[in-house]
Amino acid sequence: MFWRRRKDDEAATDTDATDPDAPDFDLAAPEIDLDAPEPDPSDFELEPAPATETSVEPSEPETVSDPEHLADLVAAVEALPEPVAAPAAPAEPEASLRPAEPEGDFDAGLARTRGGFMSRLRGFLGSGGPDEASWDDVEETLIGGDVGASLAMEVVERARRRHDPGGAEAAVRAELAALLVARDSDWSPRPSVAGGPAVILVVGVNGTGKTTTIGKLAARYAGEGRSVLLAAADTFRAAAIDQLRIWAERADVPVVAHAPHADPGAVVYDALDAAVARGADLVIADTAGRLHTKSNLMDELAKIRRIIDKRLPGAEPETLFVLDATTGQNGLAQAKAFHASVGLTGIVLTKLDSTAKGGIVFAIEHDLGVPVRFVGVGEKVGDLLPFDPDAFVAALFG
């Protein structure tokens, strides 16, 4: 917009300009009064700036002048299929139902045993009949492989009398396989009381991988869709409760714990209460690691068994003994003491991939009559594998 003087001011200016007595120009520069007030904007008229307006004439709506064409168009629209809603995105699986981690390689886990005493054993057995085998060397090799002295003598004696048509190796293989306990191929911990959970009591000596085994079992069963609850009843070992909590977070399962040095029996009792209230179908209880020579600690395990019977009358908990495969015959002595105290129902053999003496499996099952339920062939969660007797023997001689 522009500022323009009022018409009366313009007229006065024009009159002065046409005065005949006025000179054509003023030689003196006009004086500027610095104290004069600022001009008042009201002395000027506001004139809007010229604007260019563009007018758009409204277009006439298109019409269909042909009635037949209109009818065809309507018919075509009506013939269009109904819109189909987009398929809903698949729901994210719940954390508790996520698939279990891939299992480890059983055959690869036995590589050291197969390349250790089993390689020497097969060398002494030879490829011919029983008369061609070096039976004294076979016996010594079995003893060195943690089969045990007396059991090794029995295996050699029966194999020599067997006269297997497959030769000496086939005879020894058949005798070793016969040492393993018969078992249910689809074994799984199941509730024995209506409305109550299945219970696994995990026992063993410190340093065998007991708490780690519990974490791997929890991850396995949670991955199968079971509702698992852990009981931190190892209240004696420093950091045992914290270690179990870490495994519980990894497996996404709850854990019941008390303060350090609390009564282990009270922890198990509260865990069973919580399992019944929450509808959990499996409770896995950690216990304090103890030497088999400590009678007071072994009595504590018997007390926990009585507490389970009191809270869930008629319950038949699985009692799994965790055994370090590298301890050999000393581990077998530990297992015998635990079996006499609490009655073992299964063995978890850890660190089998770290030993060249896998013969301890035959000694345990023969001497205790208790099946090996799981074997550890690595450090990953999926490396705790269900024990398959046929696959074990095949992997040793493979």
mmCIF file of all heavy atoms in Angstrom, residues 211-245:
data_model
loop_
_atom_site.group_PDB
_atom_site.id
_atom_site.type_symbol
_atom_site.label_atom_id
_atom_site.label_comp_id
_atom_site.label_asym_id
_atom_site.label_seq_id
_atom_site.Cartn_x
_atom_site.Cartn_y
_atom_site.Cartn_z
ATOM 1 N N THR A 211 23.484 -75.736 39.470
ATOM 2 C CA THR A 211 22.589 -74.599 39.223
ATOM 3 C C THR A 211 22.465 -74.313 37.728
ATOM 4 O O THR A 211 21.384 -73.974 37.236
ATOM 5 C CB THR A 211 23.106 -73.357 39.968
ATOM 6 O OG1 THR A 211 23.238 -73.661 41.362
ATOM 7 C CG2 THR A 211 22.139 -72.198 39.801
ATOM 8 N N THR A 212 23.561 -74.455 36.992
ATOM 9 C CA THR A 212 23.503 -74.267 35.550
ATOM 10 C C THR A 212 22.581 -75.301 34.899
ATOM 11 O O THR A 212 21.824 -74.993 33.974
ATOM 12 C CB THR A 212 24.913 -74.368 34.943
ATOM 13 O OG1 THR A 212 25.737 -73.353 35.514
ATOM 14 C CG2 THR A 212 24.870 -74.199 33.440
ATOM 15 N N THR A 213 22.640 -76.527 35.396
ATOM 16 C CA THR A 213 21.753 -77.576 34.875
ATOM 17 C C THR A 213 20.297 -77.221 35.115
ATOM 18 O O THR A 213 19.436 -77.437 34.245
ATOM 19 C CB THR A 213 22.097 -78.918 35.539
ATOM 20 O OG1 THR A 213 23.424 -79.302 35.178
ATOM 21 C CG2 THR A 213 21.126 -80.003 35.110
ATOM 22 N N ILE A 214 19.993 -76.657 36.289
ATOM 23 C CA ILE A 214 18.615 -76.251 36.575
ATOM 24 C C ILE A 214 18.155 -75.191 35.590
ATOM 25 O O ILE A 214 17.028 -75.245 35.078
ATOM 26 C CB ILE A 214 18.514 -75.736 38.027
ATOM 27 C CG1 ILE A 214 18.744 -76.882 39.013
ATOM 28 C CG2 ILE A 214 17.151 -75.093 38.284
ATOM 29 C CD1 ILE A 214 18.829 -76.440 40.447
ATOM 30 N N GLY A 215 19.016 -74.213 35.311
ATOM 31 C CA GLY A 215 18.648 -73.182 34.350
ATOM 32 C C GLY A 215 18.384 -73.745 32.971
ATOM 33 O O GLY A 215 17.439 -73.343 32.279
ATOM 34 N N LYS A 216 19.197 -74.702 32.543
ATOM 35 C CA LYS A 216 18.999 -75.305 31.222
ATOM 36 C C LYS A 216 17.730 -76.154 31.181
ATOM 37 O O LYS A 216 17.019 -76.179 30.163
ATOM 38 C CB LYS A 216 20.221 -76.147 30.847
ATOM 39 C CG LYS A 216 21.481 -75.318 30.614
ATOM 40 C CD LYS A 216 22.669 -76.197 30.244
ATOM 41 C CE LYS A 216 23.909 -75.358 29.961
ATOM 42 N NZ LYS A 216 25.078 -76.189 29.582
ATOM 43 N N LEU A 217 17.439 -76.853 32.274
ATOM 44 C CA LEU A 217 16.190 -77.623 32.326
ATOM 45 C C LEU A 217 14.985 -76.697 32.265
ATOM 46 O O LEU A 217 13.991 -76.990 31.570
ATOM 47 C CB LEU A 217 16.143 -78.464 33.611
ATOM 48 C CG LEU A 217 17.059 -79.691 33.674
ATOM 49 C CD1 LEU A 217 16.991 -80.312 35.071
ATOM 50 C CD2 LEU A 217 16.662 -80.716 32.613
ATOM 51 N N ALA A 218 15.054 -75.578 33.002
ATOM 52 C CA ALA A 218 13.942 -74.624 32.986
ATOM 53 C C ALA A 218 13.718 -74.074 31.586
ATOM 54 O O ALA A 218 12.578 -73.951 31.117
ATOM 55 C CB ALA A 218 14.221 -73.485 33.973
ATOM 56 N N ALA A 219 14.812 -73.730 30.887
ATOM 57 C CA ALA A 219 14.680 -73.215 29.519
ATOM 58 C C ALA A 219 14.102 -74.269 28.583
ATOM 59 O O ALA A 219 13.283 -73.958 27.708
ATOM 60 C CB ALA A 219 16.049 -72.746 29.022
ATOM 61 N N ARG A 220 14.507 -75.513 28.753
ATOM 62 C CA ARG A 220 13.990 -76.589 27.896
ATOM 63 C C ARG A 220 12.491 -76.770 28.081
ATOM 64 O O ARG A 220 11.726 -76.803 27.107
ATOM 65 C CB ARG A 220 14.729 -77.906 28.212
ATOM 66 C CG ARG A 220 14.049 -79.145 27.641
ATOM 67 C CD ARG A 220 14.855 -80.396 27.927
ATOM 68 N NE ARG A 220 16.021 -80.448 27.088
ATOM 69 C CZ ARG A 220 16.028 -80.949 25.848
ATOM 70 N NH1 ARG A 220 14.908 -81.412 25.310
ATOM 71 N NH2 ARG A 220 17.131 -80.975 25.149
ATOM 72 N N TYR A 221 12.053 -76.895 29.332
ATOM 73 C CA TYR A 221 10.632 -77.160 29.568
ATOM 74 C C TYR A 221 9.770 -75.933 29.300
ATOM 75 O O TYR A 221 8.632 -76.061 28.829
ATOM 76 C CB TYR A 221 10.433 -77.676 30.997
ATOM 77 C CG TYR A 221 10.971 -79.072 31.208
ATOM 78 C CD1 TYR A 221 11.913 -79.348 32.198
ATOM 79 C CD2 TYR A 221 10.551 -80.121 30.397
ATOM 80 C CE1 TYR A 221 12.417 -80.623 32.379
ATOM 81 C CE2 TYR A 221 11.047 -81.401 30.574
ATOM 82 C CZ TYR A 221 11.980 -81.656 31.565
ATOM 83 O OH TYR A 221 12.481 -82.920 31.722
ATOM 84 N N ALA A 222 10.292 -74.745 29.577
ATOM 85 C CA ALA A 222 9.544 -73.529 29.236
ATOM 86 C C ALA A 222 9.397 -73.399 27.728
ATOM 87 O O ALA A 222 8.359 -72.952 27.220
ATOM 88 C CB ALA A 222 10.229 -72.296 29.819
ATOM 89 N N GLY A 223 10.444 -73.779 26.989
ATOM 90 C CA GLY A 223 10.369 -73.746 25.540
ATOM 91 C C GLY A 223 9.364 -74.732 24.979
ATOM 92 O O GLY A 223 8.847 -74.548 23.879
ATOM 93 N N GLU A 224 9.054 -75.789 25.743
ATOM 94 C CA GLU A 224 8.044 -76.760 25.331
ATOM 95 C C GLU A 224 6.636 -76.312 25.702
ATOM 96 O O GLU A 224 5.670 -77.021 25.428
ATOM 97 C CB GLU A 224 8.340 -78.116 25.976
ATOM 98 C CG GLU A 224 9.637 -78.759 25.483
ATOM 99 C CD GLU A 224 9.965 -80.054 26.200
ATOM 100 O OE1 GLU A 224 9.173 -80.433 27.114
ATOM 101 O OE2 GLU A 224 10.973 -80.686 25.872
ATOM 102 N N GLY A 225 6.524 -75.148 26.332
ATOM 103 C CA GLY A 225 5.210 -74.623 26.682
ATOM 104 C C GLY A 225 4.754 -74.952 28.092
ATOM 105 O O GLY A 225 3.606 -74.647 28.447
ATOM 106 N N ARG A 226 5.618 -75.527 28.903
ATOM 107 C CA ARG A 226 5.223 -75.863 30.277
ATOM 108 C C ARG A 226 5.391 -74.653 31.186
ATOM 109 O O ARG A 226 6.219 -73.773 30.940
ATOM 110 C CB ARG A 226 6.051 -77.037 30.794
ATOM 111 C CG ARG A 226 5.909 -78.302 29.959
ATOM 112 C CD ARG A 226 6.515 -79.501 30.622
ATOM 113 N NE ARG A 226 5.837 -79.856 31.865
ATOM 114 C CZ ARG A 226 6.062 -80.987 32.546
ATOM 115 N NH1 ARG A 226 6.929 -81.861 32.083
ATOM 116 N NH2 ARG A 226 5.427 -81.220 33.666
ATOM 117 N N SER A 227 4.588 -74.624 32.237
ATOM 118 C CA SER A 227 4.651 -73.540 33.223
ATOM 119 C C SER A 227 5.608 -73.971 34.325
ATOM 120 O O SER A 227 5.293 -74.854 35.131
ATOM 121 C CB SER A 227 3.252 -73.257 33.786
ATOM 122 O OG SER A 227 3.306 -72.282 34.802
ATOM 123 N N VAL A 228 6.777 -73.340 34.374
ATOM 124 C CA VAL A 228 7.859 -73.759 35.260
ATOM 125 C C VAL A 228 8.061 -72.727 36.364
ATOM 126 O O VAL A 228 7.944 -71.519 36.126
ATOM 127 C CB VAL A 228 9.169 -73.938 34.466
ATOM 128 C CG1 VAL A 228 10.293 -74.443 35.357
ATOM 129 C CG2 VAL A 228 8.951 -74.893 33.292
ATOM 130 N N LEU A 229 8.369 -73.194 37.555
ATOM 131 C CA LEU A 229 8.696 -72.327 38.694
ATOM 132 C C LEU A 229 9.944 -72.890 39.366
ATOM 133 O O LEU A 229 10.042 -74.103 39.588
ATOM 134 C CB LEU A 229 7.530 -72.247 39.668
ATOM 135 C CG LEU A 229 7.669 -71.272 40.848
ATOM 136 C CD1 LEU A 229 6.322 -70.624 41.171
ATOM 137 C CD2 LEU A 229 8.179 -71.993 42.102
ATOM 138 N N LEU A 230 10.892 -72.016 39.700
ATOM 139 C CA LEU A 230 12.137 -72.435 40.343
ATOM 140 C C LEU A 230 12.101 -72.118 41.831
ATOM 141 O O LEU A 230 11.524 -71.108 42.242
ATOM 142 C CB LEU A 230 13.337 -71.740 39.701
ATOM 143 C CG LEU A 230 13.535 -71.947 38.191
ATOM 144 C CD1 LEU A 230 14.818 -71.262 37.730
ATOM 145 C CD2 LEU A 230 13.554 -73.422 37.843
ATOM 146 N N ALA A 231 12.732 -72.973 42.617
ATOM 147 C CA ALA A 231 12.846 -72.772 44.064
ATOM 148 C C ALA A 231 14.324 -72.662 44.415
ATOM 149 O O ALA A 231 15.085 -73.609 44.201
ATOM 150 C CB ALA A 231 12.199 -73.920 44.826
ATOM 151 N N ALA A 232 14.733 -71.512 44.939
ATOM 152 C CA ALA A 232 16.142 -71.266 45.275
ATOM 153 C C ALA A 232 16.423 -71.760 46.690
ATOM 154 O O ALA A 232 16.589 -70.980 47.630
ATOM 155 C CB ALA A 232 16.456 -69.783 45.137
ATOM 156 N N ALA A 233 16.489 -73.073 46.837
ATOM 157 C CA ALA A 233 16.688 -73.671 48.160
ATOM 158 C C ALA A 233 18.161 -73.884 48.493
ATOM 159 O O ALA A 233 18.463 -74.458 49.544
ATOM 160 C CB ALA A 233 15.932 -75.005 48.252
ATOM 161 N N ASP A 234 19.075 -73.440 47.623
ATOM 162 C CA ASP A 234 20.495 -73.435 47.979
ATOM 163 C C ASP A 234 20.768 -72.108 48.673
ATOM 164 O O ASP A 234 21.174 -71.125 48.056
ATOM 165 C CB ASP A 234 21.359 -73.581 46.729
ATOM 166 C CG ASP A 234 22.851 -73.672 47.075
ATOM 167 O OD1 ASP A 234 23.188 -73.523 48.267
ATOM 168 O OD2 ASP A 234 23.651 -73.878 46.161
ATOM 169 N N THR A 235 20.531 -72.086 49.983
ATOM 170 C CA THR A 235 20.676 -70.847 50.746
ATOM 171 C C THR A 235 22.031 -70.736 51.446
ATOM 172 O O THR A 235 22.259 -69.781 52.180
ATOM 173 C CB THR A 235 19.555 -70.758 51.806
ATOM 174 O OG1 THR A 235 19.654 -71.879 52.693
ATOM 175 C CG2 THR A 235 18.185 -70.754 51.148
ATOM 176 N N PHE A 236 22.924 -71.704 51.208
ATOM 177 C CA PHE A 236 24.205 -71.706 51.897
ATOM 178 C C PHE A 236 25.331 -71.139 51.035
ATOM 179 O O PHE A 236 26.171 -70.387 51.517
ATOM 180 C CB PHE A 236 24.567 -73.134 52.337
ATOM 181 C CG PHE A 236 23.647 -73.679 53.383
ATOM 182 C CD1 PHE A 236 22.613 -74.542 53.034
ATOM 183 C CD2 PHE A 236 23.783 -73.335 54.713
ATOM 184 C CE1 PHE A 236 21.757 -75.042 53.988
ATOM 185 C CE2 PHE A 236 22.928 -73.825 55.681
ATOM 186 C CZ PHE A 236 21.910 -74.688 55.317
ATOM 187 N N ARG A 237 25.361 -71.498 49.765
ATOM 188 C CA ARG A 237 26.467 -71.054 48.912
ATOM 189 C C ARG A 237 26.307 -69.589 48.539
ATOM 190 O O ARG A 237 25.218 -69.141 48.182
ATOM 191 C CB ARG A 237 26.530 -71.914 47.641
ATOM 192 C CG ARG A 237 27.678 -71.549 46.716
ATOM 193 C CD ARG A 237 27.800 -72.569 45.587
ATOM 194 N NE ARG A 237 26.646 -72.535 44.706
ATOM 195 C CZ ARG A 237 26.539 -71.755 43.645
ATOM 196 N NH1 ARG A 237 27.517 -70.898 43.362
ATOM 197 N NH2 ARG A 237 25.479 -71.807 42.878
ATOM 198 N N ALA A 238 27.399 -68.853 48.608
ATOM 199 C CA ALA A 238 27.368 -67.435 48.259
ATOM 200 C C ALA A 238 26.999 -67.268 46.787
ATOM 201 O O ALA A 238 27.514 -67.957 45.910
ATOM 202 C CB ALA A 238 28.737 -66.805 48.531
ATOM 203 N N ALA A 239 26.079 -66.353 46.529
ATOM 204 C CA ALA A 239 25.641 -65.986 45.172
ATOM 205 C C ALA A 239 24.818 -67.063 44.480
ATOM 206 O O ALA A 239 24.486 -66.911 43.306
ATOM 207 C CB ALA A 239 26.828 -65.611 44.293
ATOM 208 N N ALA A 240 24.470 -68.143 45.172
ATOM 209 C CA ALA A 240 23.666 -69.189 44.524
ATOM 210 C C ALA A 240 22.286 -68.670 44.146
ATOM 211 O O ALA A 240 21.755 -68.985 43.077
ATOM 212 C CB ALA A 240 23.541 -70.397 45.447
ATOM 213 N N ILE A 241 21.693 -67.853 45.029
ATOM 214 C CA ILE A 241 20.359 -67.316 44.750
ATOM 215 C C ILE A 241 20.406 -66.366 43.563
ATOM 216 O O ILE A 241 19.559 -66.415 42.666
ATOM 217 C CB ILE A 241 19.796 -66.613 45.999
ATOM 218 C CG1 ILE A 241 19.640 -67.613 47.154
ATOM 219 C CG2 ILE A 241 18.453 -65.959 45.691
ATOM 220 C CD1 ILE A 241 19.211 -66.989 48.462
ATOM 221 N N ASP A 242 21.422 -65.497 43.536
ATOM 222 C CA ASP A 242 21.553 -64.557 42.413
ATOM 223 C C ASP A 242 21.800 -65.300 41.103
ATOM 224 O O ASP A 242 21.275 -64.918 40.047
ATOM 225 C CB ASP A 242 22.697 -63.581 42.676
ATOM 226 C CG ASP A 242 22.397 -62.639 43.839
ATOM 227 O OD1 ASP A 242 21.203 -62.427 44.108
ATOM 228 O OD2 ASP A 242 23.348 -62.133 44.460
ATOM 229 N N GLN A 243 22.583 -66.356 41.155
ATOM 230 C CA GLN A 243 22.859 -67.128 39.941
ATOM 231 C C GLN A 243 21.580 -67.760 39.408
ATOM 232 O O GLN A 243 21.328 -67.747 38.203
ATOM 233 C CB GLN A 243 23.899 -68.207 40.228
ATOM 234 C CG GLN A 243 24.305 -69.010 38.991
ATOM 235 C CD GLN A 243 25.286 -70.122 39.318
ATOM 236 O OE1 GLN A 243 25.670 -70.303 40.479
ATOM 237 N NE2 GLN A 243 25.696 -70.859 38.304
ATOM 238 N N LEU A 244 20.761 -68.283 40.306
ATOM 239 C CA LEU A 244 19.510 -68.903 39.865
ATOM 240 C C LEU A 244 18.554 -67.856 39.313
ATOM 241 O O LEU A 244 17.812 -68.122 38.360
ATOM 242 C CB LEU A 244 18.867 -69.660 41.029
ATOM 243 C CG LEU A 244 17.705 -70.585 40.631
ATOM 244 C CD1 LEU A 244 18.221 -71.708 39.735
ATOM 245 C CD2 LEU A 244 17.011 -71.159 41.852
ATOM 246 N N ARG A 245 18.552 -66.660 39.902
ATOM 247 C CA ARG A 245 17.690 -65.590 39.388
ATOM 248 C C ARG A 245 18.084 -65.204 37.966
ATOM 249 O O ARG A 245 17.232 -64.908 37.126
ATOM 250 C CB ARG A 245 17.768 -64.376 40.307
ATOM 251 C CG ARG A 245 16.924 -64.503 41.575
ATOM 252 C CD ARG A 245 17.014 -63.264 42.413
ATOM 253 N NE ARG A 245 16.085 -63.297 43.537
ATOM 254 C CZ ARG A 245 16.359 -62.844 44.740
ATOM 255 N NH1 ARG A 245 17.549 -62.307 44.976
ATOM 256 N NH2 ARG A 245 15.462 -62.903 45.708
#
